[in-house]
Amino acid sequence: MSNIWTIFKRELRGYFVTPLAYVFIVIFLFLTGIFTFYMGSFFQRGQADLQSFFSFHPWLYLFLIPAISMRLWAEERKQGTIELLLTLPVSMTQAVIGKFLSAWIFTGIALVLTFPMWITVNYLGNPDNGVIVASYIGSFIMAGAYLAIGTCISAMTKNQVIAFVITVVTCLLFVLAGFPVVLNFFQGWAPEYLVDAISSFSFLTHFSSITKGVIDVRDIIYFVSLIGCWLFASAIIVDMKKGQ
């Protein structure tokens, strides 16, 4: 555990010694504001809630999370610092988990900084704060799933741009699996169990359930399992590619 903590602190500190962290947070807060108050028609809806805020999170994460994850391993391999990292008395799994947790907590910090929106809806009306808390938890866990996918893909290449593009495409597949247009396409000819199976792989399906205020253990298991599988694959890939 101490080795994971050491890697975690090293990586998290690395975000804030460069402009990357501040640029990401500013862009994240700016886009959440634009999507919530303008594209989400916050004032026109006349309801004091954060539905319009959370409904755009899967799409925001689609591009912002890969921008974080693309450097996790690709940068280490490009600069040759991965060999130095692997000489430390840490296991491959500990290194992967430590780097992942630092990126996840950094994303959580950006998410927490959206608290003025929560204050705003409480000032304007009487929102269901239980639903908002559940939605924040769901958004954070979903961000972890995006990051786990990005971590694995970053381990495959030295090129951060390639890592970014492949991560976006992969995450897009997980989002579109629950998109109504896609499901309607399959419902026209595929058996119902196949449509349900495709829908069950979607971030949208599980996240939308949580944003209704119901934290179903199946949704949590889905995201946690996804994170675990992709991180396990990351450790295998980093181990296979060390020294290359």
Side-chain angles (χ1 to χ4, degrees):
M1 183 61 79
S2 61
N3 290 334
I4 294 176
W5 177 245
T6 301
I7 298 287
F8 168 79
K9 288 192 297 182
R10 168 184 178 267
E11 292 295 319
L12 188 61
R13 190 184 306 116
Y15 285 109
F16 292 97
V17 297
T18 67
L20 174 66
Y22 308 100
V23 171
F24 175 86
I25 289 173
V26 169
I27 292 175
F28 180 74
L29 296 179
F30 176 75
L31 290 179
T32 53
I34 292 294
F35 282 124
T36 301
F37 293 110
Y38 292 97
M39 297 183 68
S41 304
F42 177 82
F43 294 107
Q44 290 82 350
R45 291 174 57 245
Q47 296 181 7
D49 59 32
L50 288 180
Q51 181 182 343
S52 57
F53 169 67
F54 288 109
S55 64
F56 287 102
H57 279 205
W59 306 102
L60 277 175
Y61 290 162
L62 186 60
F63 295 98
L64 295 181
I65 297 294
I68 298 176
S69 64
M70 67 181 185
R71 59 179 291 276
L72 286 176
W73 288 104
E75 186 177 49
E76 296 272 10
R77 296 186 62 215
K78 183 178 181 180
Q79 296 181 352
T81 54
I82 190 171
E83 286 77 11
L84 176 63
L85 175 65
L86 297 179
T87 59
L88 300 175
V90 297
S91 68
M92 197 64 64
T93 302
Q94 290 171 333
V96 170
I97 293 175
K99 290 171 81 68
F100 167 76
L101 288 179
S102 67
W104 199 10
I105 293 301
F106 171 68
T107 306
I109 292 172
L111 192 59
V112 167
L113 290 177
T114 62
F115 72 90
M117 293 190 182
W118 192 354
I119 295 175
T120 300
V121 294
N122 275 276
Y123 176 77
L124 295 174
N126 297 300
D128 188 335
N129 286 310
V131 172
I132 294 176
V133 170
S135 299
Y136 266 110
I137 293 172
S139 179
F140 180 62
I141 296 175
M142 181 175 65
Y146 277 88
L147 275 171
I149 294 172
T151 299
C152 183
I153 294 173
S154 176
M156 298 178 184
T157 177
K158 297 178 181 178
N159 191 312
Q160 294 188 39
V161 176
I162 293 175
F164 175 84
V165 172
I166 296 177
T167 302
V168 169
V169 172
T170 305
C171 291
L172 181 62
L173 294 176
F174 276 94
V175 173
L176 291 182
F179 208 56
V181 174
V182 176
L183 294 179
N184 290 337
F185 169 76
F186 284 101
Q187 283 172 344
W189 54 274
E192 186 175 351
Y193 71 86
L194 180 59
V195 177
D196 292 339
I198 294 172
S199 176
S200 67
F201 279 101
S202 173
F203 289 164
L204 290 179
T205 302
H206 296 279
F207 182 59
S208 62
S209 298
I210 297 176
T211 57
K212 294 173 183 172
V214 180
I215 300 181
D216 192 320
V217 66
R218 290 171 296 184
D219 298 322
I220 302 300
I221 290 175
Y222 166 76
F223 284 120
V224 172
S225 301
L226 205 63
I227 291 170
C229 289
W230 283 97
L231 291 185
F232 179 70
S234 301
I236 294 175
I237 292 172
V238 172
D239 189 48
M240 289 174 59
K241 287 184 171 289
K242 65 182 179 182
Q244 293 184 11

